[in-house]
Amino acid sequence: MKKVIAKIISLGLVLGMAGAMAACTSKKGTTVKSGTLTMATNAYFPPYEYYEGTDIVGIDAEIAAAIAEKLDLKLEIVDVEFDSIIAGVQSNKYDIGMAGMTVTDERKKAVNFSSTYATGIQAVIVPEGSEITDVDTLLGGDYKVGVQQGTTGDIYMTDDVGEDRVVRFSKGNDAVLALSTGKVDAVVIDNEPAKSFVAANAGLVILPTAYVEEEYAMCINKDNKDLLEKINKALEELTADGTIDKIIEKYIPSNG
Ligand code: GLN
């Protein structure tokens, strides 16, 4: 009898606590850390996210800050490997992943995506004077291609040319350094970071033809519909009032 009563009391406590937690999360927004929007990124992807001193800045950082402000949350950015972001969002380590992340059907099986806020292009970087002059030559030849591990550049190239020709690096810039030193023949990476890396490393050019066009969005845990809705509403408002365009224009002036 005692045991049963103890069980009922503890069940009551658990239910009460669950109720209190639910109340608390719905008021402050459902986030992993109360009052905070925890964003996972990989901060080596200019102009979307990169270090300026010890601060992580860039298009994603600024859009996330604008969203956090609208949601009355404090933004906390965590810098992790790109290919650990989705798993961390799935396990509720982070609220959102925002890392110039392309929306793909495969990723949609694991996480939800917000509305898209930017477009991206998978570009091909080659050394000046390379015999690789377009995407078809790259795909058709026996060239080694450097990619950033777990990115769409990696996924699509592996699909198109096979494991043996793809060399994976944890940071995009490491792939570009390998290109500069002749360890790979080309690098496939998002166009805007490609421009930064080419500007910082002499003797490299971006092919005029795009490999793939894509859309960027934030990823959110599939169970957190509440946050998804709030973020999409904030994004809609920030698009309508020109904030998103202003942020993108600040970092990519040629965009319009
Ligand atoms: N857009 C690419 C992807 O989502 C690369 C993103 C990145 O390296 N940060 O896979």
Side-chain angles (χ1 to χ4, degrees), residues 38-41 85 89 94-99 101 217-220:
T38 308
M39 159 182 158
T41 197
I85 295 174
V89 166
Y94 323 116
D95 297 307
I96 61 168
M98 195 175 187
M101 186 180 280
M218 275 157 264
C219 68
I220 303 164

Side-chain angles (χ1 to χ4, degrees), residues 3 13 35 41 55 61 69 75-76 81 92 98 190 244:
K3 258 193 189 159
L13 270 177
T41 197
D55 291 336
E69 199 186 322
L75 177 67
E76 196 175 296
E81 293 292 323
N92 279 320
M98 195 175 187
D190 302 50
I244 302 282

